[in-house]
Amino acid sequence: MSDRMIYFDHAATTPVRTEVIEEMLPYFNQKFGNPSSIYSLGRDSKKAIEEAREKVAKAIGAQPREIFFTGSGTEADNWAIKGVAYANRQKGKHIITSAIEHHAVLHSCQYLESDGFEVTYLPVDADGLVTAEQVRAAIRPDTILVSIMFANNEIGTIQPIAEIGKITKEKGVYFHTDAVQAMGNVDINVADMNIDMLSMSSHKFYGPKGIGALYVRKGVKLTSFMHGGAQERGRRASTENVAAIAGLAKALEIAVENLGTYNKKLLALRDRTIEEIQKKIPFIRLNGHRDKRLPGNVNFSFEFIEGESLLLMLDMKGIAASSGSACTSGSLDPSHVLLAIGLPHEIAHGSLRITFGEENSDSDIDYLMEVLPPIVQRLREMSPLYEAANKR
């Protein structure tokens, strides 16, 4: 095992910023009051939540009353999709989404199918893109919701959200976007993009885990997700996680303030890595759109190898990355995203996702390119298919 550790999996989670931890600390043991209490200790906690709500709203061009805090991005996705479905089922039972959504969206839609709703799963092209015209063509008189992710968590492809939002607004259909991967990486304005609902998750932009938020445009008809107390204006019961809420808002505030500088750095790292891998390793495929992709996302499929073996050998060299294969989920099936963009099973299994963050540098790429080619070569030498391909 290597003594060094280079973290290339920021799409999975990010470390919590020091400034964010400092923002959170008082709410654990000093300002620990229940926000529902009327005495000063409780009012301090309530004030912190409302200040956080204002920060989040400002970051996406929304109004504070349109921000609701949740336990995660997954909860936000579930609430948006199921909440709209059940609140509007008298109007219609048709939902539109894409084939490459996160499972929080796909499984929510599948659940609704078991309860009588109809779902159209739009196919994507070889780069993972859905077109606005596909959405227009799929909308029916009974369509009540379109849910298309802002950017894909595996291949990084960024969807034409503003164009889709324009169509859903024209058609009078609610539009939800899972922006869990996009927040902190892409400039987002919900008003300009005609987004009705947006999900986010704090731990993707250097905030704490276990806290997310759902933007719900004023006037959207949505059922409550959790029942109990009157928290979140009666729409999401449960005593608020004040420290985490404060942390989410601080992390998002920092991310938005530094977006330009951060993206410039990540773009340089991303493009250099893509070019180096393409130059030094044969029999590969870049997954996702070359340019319309998240600034820190690199995803390649390597023929004649298994992604799980590649990850384990990189880990032994001190590199933490991810694979598009489903080895970590306990499933033998390859990524549904890679299959949706047209990869055969055997190639989809041999994928590597590298996602950069602010602590990464060119020296990290130097080391990656020092160890990755020989690891790929070593694994390929175990494959009779690679030997046959080399003889062509």
Side-chain angles (χ1 to χ4, degrees), residues 287-315:
N287 298 317
H289 197 282
R290 178 60 182 85
D291 302 309
K292 296 175 184 176
R293 70 187 301 135
L294 292 171
N297 177 287
V298 175
N299 189 308
F300 275 99
S301 288
F302 300 84
E303 293 187 54
F304 316 115
I305 66 171
E306 282 285 333
E308 185 174 8
S309 300
L310 178 59
L311 291 185
L312 291 173
M313 294 187 75
L314 285 172
D315 186 42

Side-chain angles (χ1 to χ4, degrees), residues 77-269:
D77 284 340
N78 272 258
W79 185 12
I81 294 166
K82 296 173 185 175
V84 161
Y86 288 123
N88 296 273
R89 66 190 311 169
Q90 298 306 314
K91 177 184 176 184
K93 291 190 175 184
H94 182 234
I95 297 167
I96 298 169
T97 189
S98 83
I100 62 167
E101 298 294 311
H102 188 276
H103 282 121
V105 170
L106 292 178
H107 289 172
S108 293
C109 288
Q110 290 163 9
Y111 170 81
L112 289 172
E113 284 183 295
S114 71
D115 197 23
F117 289 85
E118 292 183 45
V119 181
T120 297
Y121 299 91
L122 298 176
V124 295
D125 66 13
D127 291 324
L129 280 169
V130 170
T131 68
E133 286 309 309
Q134 278 180 279
V135 174
R136 184 191 295 277
I139 291 176
R140 311 185 323 206
D142 62 338
T143 302
I144 53 176
L145 174 67
V146 172
S147 182
I148 302 292
M149 68 193 329
F150 207 110
N152 187 263
N153 51 301
E154 291 189 34
I155 60 176
T157 298
I158 298 173
Q159 302 295 345
I161 295 299
E163 290 91 333
I164 294 172
K166 183 178 179 181
I167 288 171
T168 55
K169 184 178 181 181
E170 289 173 1
K171 297 290 187 178
V173 175
Y174 289 143
F175 179 34
H176 165 255
T177 185
D178 174 351
V180 167
Q181 288 294 330
M183 290 302 303
N185 290 292
V186 180
D187 187 21
I188 298 175
N189 186 293
V190 293
D192 293 346
M193 295 177 171
N194 294 306
I195 297 168
D196 295 307
M197 293 172 290
L198 177 146
S199 304
M200 68 180 77
S201 183
S202 167
H203 75 105
K204 305 295 188 178
F205 46 85
Y206 298 91
K209 297 175 180 64
I211 185 70
L214 178 66
Y215 155 75
V216 183
R217 182 181 56 77
K218 182 181 178 182
V220 170
K221 195 175 177 184
L222 185 77
T223 60
S224 297
F225 184 67
M226 293 177 66
H227 302 90
Q231 294 88 355
E232 295 300 280
R233 298 195 304 281
R235 304 185 80 171
R236 199 272 185 187
S238 185
T239 300
E240 300 93 338
N241 186 345
V242 183
I245 289 170
L248 179 152
K250 183 66 173 180
L252 186 57
E253 183 180 50
I254 294 172
V256 171
E257 286 176 356
N258 296 282
L259 188 62
T261 305
Y262 182 61
N263 280 357
K264 183 178 179 181
K265 175 182 179 177
L266 265 57
L267 278 167
L269 295 174

